[in-house]
Amino acid sequence: QLQLVESGGGLVQPGGSLRLSCAASGFTLNYYAVGWFRQAPGKEREGVSCISSSGGSTVYADSVKGRFTISRDNAKNTVILQMDSLKPEDTAVYYCATDPLLAMCVMQGGEYDYWGQGTQVTVSS
């Protein structure tokens, strides 16, 4: 059974950092592109970042560029989203997603069939 599990969310002060993990079970995540998405209350889901299957291509939303870094830990079958210089507007539930048909990075959530349950990130003083 293909499963994605996010972890690492929490409450952090503005300017702080969090490290989100997306761990896969039942399949090898290394073979597929992975996207991170977020959804704040009352807002539509938005793409945050994605990474290609090889890890050689990454994309970031303009709102997080220069502050977030996506990477792979193939030994742990995991994709990491390092979030630095967090702002209150980063507050949202963060989801990772993947799809066996995707090797290249895409930021459209509709292209992904497999999603984690989400992890809450709250940035507040």
Side-chain angles (χ1 to χ4, degrees):
Q1 182 178 359
L2 279 66
Q3 188 175 13
L4 294 174
V5 178
E6 303 96 336
S7 61
L11 173 64
V12 64
Q13 292 186 343
S17 297
L18 284 174
R19 182 179 173 92
L20 303 185
S21 294
C22 174
S25 61
F27 67 106
T28 302
L29 194 59
N30 310 353
Y31 297 155
Y32 314 125
V34 174
W36 280 98
F37 298 82
R38 67 186 180 187
Q39 188 164 22
K43 295 188 176 181
E44 293 188 355
R45 182 181 63 195
E46 65 172 336
V48 176
S49 182
C50 61
I51 187 166
S52 65
S53 59
S54 69
S57 176
T58 58
V59 175
Y60 298 93
D62 287 343
S63 58
V64 307
K65 205 170 292 184
R67 300 187 298 121
F68 291 11
T69 304
I70 191 170
S71 63
R72 289 186 174 274
D73 185 339
N74 291 339
K76 295 182 178 180
N77 208 23
T78 297
V79 169
I80 303 297
L81 185 68
Q82 177 67 40
M83 307 189 297
D84 299 317
S85 303
L86 283 161
K87 304 176 181 180
E89 51 264 42
D90 294 318
T91 295
V93 178
Y94 283 70
Y95 302 88
C96 65
T98 192
D99 192 286
L101 296 181
L102 289 177
M104 295 306 296
C105 180
V106 295
M107 291 281 273
Q108 288 76 39
E111 298 294 324
Y112 295 89
D113 276 347
Y114 295 95
W115 293 77
Q117 82 288 351
T119 185
Q120 176 70 47
V121 170
T122 303
V123 185
S124 175
S125 54

